[in-house]
Every structure is written in C-alpha cells, then in structure tokens.
Amino acid sequence: MAVMQQELTLGEAADRLARALPGHRVEILQGRLVVTPPPDGSHALSLSWLVVEFHGAGAREAGARYVQGVGLWLPTLPQDFAIPDFSVVDEDFRDAHVTKNYYAPNVFRMVVEVTSSNWSDDLGPKVECYAQAGVPVYLIADRKHDEALLYTDPADGKYSDPVRYKRGQSVPVPESVGVSLELSVDTLLDGDD
C-alpha cells in the first residue's frame, strides 16, 4: 500500500489547526504557528468592558470601530498574521481587506492583548510584529506580571520602551486613537470594576 505525503504551507497548516481546535486562536507570527487557548472568564470580561468603554467614549462618532478577533495582516513574512484580542480600527476598515479575515495594518489605530498562558508571545513577537506593521498603539494587559504596558508611535519598525502602569493607575488612550479615555489597569487585568 502506497502512502501519500502532502506538504502543507504554513497557511494551510494554520487553517487545519483552526478547524481542528474550535475556540482556539491560530496565528502565524514571524513564520511560526501560534495557538492560543480559549479565553478564561476574566479575559473575556476585560474585552467586553473595553467595548463598553470605547462605546461610551464616542469611538463610533470619531470614525472608529472597535472589534474583537479580527485578523491583522502582518508584513513581517508572506503568511504572517495576528488576531488581536481587541482592536480600534477606522470605520471603513472592511475596505482594507487583504485575505480571509485579515485586514491591512494601516486601518488599525490600536490593538489590545490580554495575556493568557502564552503570554510571552504578546510580550515578544507581537511587540515586534505590530511595530513593523506600523500599528500606532499597542496596549498589553499583562496578567502574568500584573501590569499594563503601552507601546506607541513605532519608528523604523520598532517601538520605544513601553510606559508601564501598575494597579491603581489608569492608562490614558493616546489622542491618535481618536477618543479621550482612561482605562483602569485593575479592570484591564481582572475584567471587573
């Protein structure tokens, strides 16, 4: 009996993994497949709270939309893409569709990641990838280290060192996002007011 072997591209492997692991987030970062488990309750509550906050701050009136789980095409390698937990995008972001559910980075005003068990991806490769993509604002709710990190204004494909915020503080959303808003570090980390 002959055995047929089929080599998969990284994109095909990502598609197969996504179908085989419902609820998991499959991304390709710097040519590496990354699989993130489904969010826990606090993670999900943080994202729901962000929707409420950006809505209350008038993001829609400012020409922005806020979305969860929308793909961001990355210019790092041909098949690279990320799926940020939460993003603030231009209202016409759907016109910047690249492929599948991935959109061009120029329509992303801000991305937010709430760390899970694979926290090192949010603190390492994603910092590099988002900077190279030119994402103006990257906020990390770093539950592993109990702080929030704010990266802004990448230059030459790199962010400067982040501004770190501790519990009891609030993170000011940069003006470039288009809303005036301060986000509680405690709520970002815990998902509860």
Side-chain angles (χ1 to χ4, degrees):
M1 169 188 258
V3 175
M4 306 245 337
Q5 289 186 337
Q6 176 186 7
E7 272 194 44
L8 299 175
T9 67
L10 208 49
E12 291 167 337
D15 289 343
R16 284 192 181 182
L17 273 173
R19 284 192 302 275
L21 299 169
H24 289 70
R25 183 169 295 172
V26 179
E27 302 166 297
I28 301 175
L29 304 174
Q30 299 173 327
R32 182 174 60 91
L33 274 172
V34 175
V35 179
T36 304
D40 62 24
S42 294
H43 185 286
L45 285 171
S46 292
L47 300 181
S48 296
W49 172 74
L50 285 169
V51 169
V52 171
E53 291 297 301
F54 277 89
H55 179 76
R60 289 182 63 99
E61 293 79 8
R65 296 294 181 264
Y66 31 89
V67 293
Q68 296 181 39
V70 169
L72 166 59
W73 178 80
L74 296 168
T76 45
L77 290 172
Q79 296 186 57
D80 280 6
F81 68 92
I83 304 173
D85 288 328
F86 180 87
S87 302
V88 179
V89 294
D90 294 341
E91 65 185 338
D92 61 351
F93 78 97
R94 289 175 280 194
D95 294 339
H97 181 255
V98 176
T99 185
K100 299 183 184 178
N101 74 330
Y102 318 138
Y103 297 87
N106 63 297
V107 298
F108 286 77
R109 297 180 182 188
M110 176 180 187
V111 296
V112 180
E113 298 285 4
V114 178
T115 61
S116 297
S117 58
N118 63 339
W119 54 270
S120 60
D121 290 319
D122 295 333
L123 299 175
K126 284 190 177 180
V127 173
E128 295 170 9
C129 290
Y130 293 155
Q132 290 172 7
V135 175
V137 179
Y138 177 30
L139 174 61
I140 306 169
D142 181 2
R143 299 187 304 165
K144 172 72 175 173
H145 301 101
D146 211 34
E147 63 181 351
L149 292 86
L150 182 65
Y151 291 91
T152 60
D153 305 316
D156 299 321
K158 295 185 180 185
Y159 290 116
S160 298
D161 289 339
V163 178
R164 296 175 181 276
Y165 296 89
K166 301 291 181 195
R167 287 189 175 276
Q169 295 181 307
S170 292
V171 179
V173 173
E175 288 181 21
S176 63
V177 177
V179 297
S180 178
L181 181 60
E182 298 221 352
L183 301 170
S184 158
V185 172
D186 292 27
T187 309
L188 280 167
L189 297 171
D190 301 334
D192 289 322
D193 293 24

